Amino acid sequence: MSTNSMTLPDLASALNGLETEEGLSFSAEVIDGEVPTLQVTVSDREEFPIYITIDDSQILVVSYLWKESEIKSGAREDLLDALLTLNIPMPLSAFSKLGDQYVIFGALACQSDLKDVIHEVDVLSDNTLEALESLSDYLQ
Amino acid sequence: MSIFKKLFTAVRGAATEAGEAIVDSQALRIMDQEIHDAENELKKSKEGLTTVMAQKMATERQVKEKTAAIDEHEGYAVKALDKGDEGLAVEIAEKIAEFSNELEPLKTLLEGQIQSVNNLKQIIKQTEKRLQSTKREVALIKSTQSVQKAQDAIAATHSGSTSAMSSAMDSMQRIKARQQEKSDKMNAALALENEGGDGDLKAKMAAAGITGSGASGNSILEKLKARQAGAA
């Protein structure tokens, strides 16, 4: 492992208690497991925590959106079209699917510095709410 | 790209069977071994190429020397004939024949060596290509595997959180309701503060005699007296 690659505990201590310019504050907790995960909770947005993992190839920052079953009947095709269309204009994040769970995520190089990761978390949290707001017509 | 399709199928399948490896570790070991073998092969081929190229250069030099010697002796033979020295001319011609007989196998050898160089270059190219694509496949498999592990870990963490229990829209509504409540409270606090501020200011102005300090019997009597005086 290279000396300047980030670890989850580093990230946790950087994020914990951090307050953004918009007045959002973060709390972060490392969840141990085969692959440790950092769970980041954003104040006033506790319903949409952000998960971070680090491996050899990238830093993944993920937030969960909705499940397949939450899509209004008949709206799935339009929703998928909207997701693909939004993917590029949406800054720094992209949509994806894990099983029946729709997610929004960002991926960073392992060499990214703390500032970049914090920015990513901040933007991802905003994008999560933006996405839900603008796609609410397709959801029940 | 078949490996991509394989990974896609594996990732889709893994949605139902979390934690299952995309490619078993045995397959990955075989691919690692393939890379190792191809690298060795490549090294040997490159060494072989260097040797054959050196041999080819030596043969080329010999061919050049023999050809030059033949040309040179042909000149001598012509000169001997010009001088009418048939005996010398025959002797020279025999020498030329000797050179020619030596040149032929050298030419055949050179052709073979040129062929070998081309073959080896071809093999090296193919091996490099194969090596590259195997390395790419292994990298893709490894990164997909680690991403999948990360996803499984995230899914496990998420399933334990409270937000996993409610729908995204419900969660969103809750956030909005909280935001509304917060802003209502802030507005109320602001309004209260304004009122408080106003009251304070009025009291201060009255105390300073800038504004009236309220009606009293005396002040009304004064006003009436003043009106009367004006009318008279």
Side-chain angles (χ1 to χ4, degrees):
Chain A
M1 223 178 218
S2 65
T3 48
N4 58 354
S5 66
M6 200 175 311
T7 65
L8 284 184
D10 287 348
L11 203 51
S13 59
L15 279 166
N16 246 323
L18 186 79
E19 204 163 307
T20 67
E21 280 169 31
E22 297 87 45
L24 295 175
S25 66
F26 300 113
S27 67
E29 186 190 353
V30 179
I31 315 284
D32 284 322
E34 190 196 351
V35 179
T37 312
L38 185 67
Q39 179 171 337
V40 183
T41 313
V42 185
S43 61
D44 288 334
R45 300 173 177 182
E46 289 82 358
E47 282 81 356
F48 297 98
I50 287 163
Y51 304 105
I52 303 175
T53 56
I54 299 177
D55 65 32
D56 293 341
S57 56
Q58 62 186 343
I59 301 172
L60 263 183
V61 187
V62 179
S63 175
Y64 277 32
L65 296 170
W66 53 83
K67 287 193 177 66
E68 202 71 74
S69 60
E70 293 172 42
I71 301 171
K72 274 184 191 160
S73 71
R76 188 170 184 269
E77 198 182 321
D78 288 342
L79 172 63
L80 294 180
D81 189 87
L83 291 178
L84 277 180
T85 310
L86 280 172
N87 255 347
I88 289 184
M90 181 168 53
L92 294 180
S93 314
F95 295 109
S96 185
K97 247 188 107 179
L98 308 175
D100 72 340
Q101 177 70 57
Y102 287 74
V103 302
I104 185 168
F105 77 101
L108 292 103
C110 297
Q111 295 78 32
S112 308
D113 52 35
L114 274 174
K115 197 168 66 31
D116 296 331
V117 184
I118 290 164
H119 182 60
E120 178 72 36
V121 172
D122 192 10
V123 173
L124 188 72
S125 180
D126 284 347
N127 284 345
T128 304
L129 297 193
E130 286 283 338
L132 279 164
E133 186 82 64
S134 44
L135 298 166
S136 59
D137 285 350
Y138 305 106
L139 302 168
Q140 50 193 0
Chain B
M1 195 182 179
S2 72
I3 187 72
F4 199 84
K5 210 171 163 187
K6 223 189 305 184
L7 291 177
F8 182 60
T9 314
V11 170
R12 294 193 95 177
T16 48
E17 291 172 69
E20 195 167 303
I22 290 168
V23 175
D24 61 54
S25 55
Q26 180 67 16
L28 212 53
R29 257 202 303 280
I30 290 170
M31 288 177 104
D32 277 336
Q33 185 61 44
E34 272 174 16
I35 289 175
H36 184 71
D37 291 347
E39 273 170 348
N40 274 343
E41 204 180 305
L42 200 61
K43 200 173 154 227
K44 270 188 210 152
S45 300
K46 279 182 174 168
E47 281 166 7
L49 181 63
T50 315
T51 312
V52 178
M53 278 174 91
Q55 287 168 346
K56 190 190 107 193
M57 274 159 72
T59 314
E60 273 170 346
R61 203 169 46 243
Q62 282 174 291
V63 167
K64 220 169 150 186
E65 280 166 11
K66 289 282 178 249
T67 312
I70 288 170
D71 283 350
E72 200 185 332
H73 283 77
E74 276 173 355
Y76 296 153
V78 170
K79 273 182 191 160
L81 283 176
D82 282 348
K83 283 187 177 165
D85 192 340
E86 190 84 14
L88 184 61
V90 168
E91 219 174 295
I92 295 170
E94 273 165 4
K95 191 73 193 165
I96 292 172
E98 200 181 298
F99 286 148
S100 289
N101 288 339
E102 284 168 4
L103 181 61
E104 277 320 303
L106 279 177
K107 274 186 173 169
T108 315
L109 181 66
L110 185 61
E111 265 169 40
Q113 284 168 338
I114 289 170
Q115 191 67 45
S116 294
V117 168
N118 287 342
N119 285 348
L120 277 170
K121 279 185 176 167
Q122 193 71 26
I123 288 171
I124 288 170
K125 224 190 205 167
Q126 279 167 359
T127 311
E128 273 174 344
K129 229 168 146 184
R130 184 158 52 90
L131 189 61
Q132 240 174 28
S133 88
T134 313
K135 274 185 175 170
R136 236 192 341 254
E137 280 183 21
V138 168
L140 194 58
I141 290 170
K142 283 184 177 166
S143 76
T144 309
Q145 265 178 351
S146 71
V147 166
Q148 194 164 25
K149 273 185 194 163
Q151 289 174 354
D152 289 346
I154 290 171
T157 308
H158 183 75
S159 66
S161 75
T162 49
S163 41
M165 305 301 164
S166 62
S167 79
M169 280 295 108
D170 285 349
S171 299
M172 190 70 193
Q173 291 312 326
R174 270 207 301 279
I175 290 179
K176 273 188 176 170
R178 265 205 316 269
Q179 276 171 351
Q180 190 61 51
E181 197 184 330
K182 211 173 174 182
S183 94
D184 284 351
K185 264 188 193 161
M186 214 143 81
N187 284 339
L190 215 62
L192 214 63
E193 197 178 303
N194 277 342
E195 267 173 31
D198 258 13
D200 231 31
L201 187 62
K202 272 181 194 154
K204 274 185 196 160
M205 287 194 294
I210 295 171
T211 55
S213 50
S216 67
N218 266 342
S219 65
I220 289 171
L221 205 62
E222 288 296 316
K223 256 188 215 165
L224 290 176
K225 277 182 182 169
R227 210 182 288 169
Q228 221 173 17

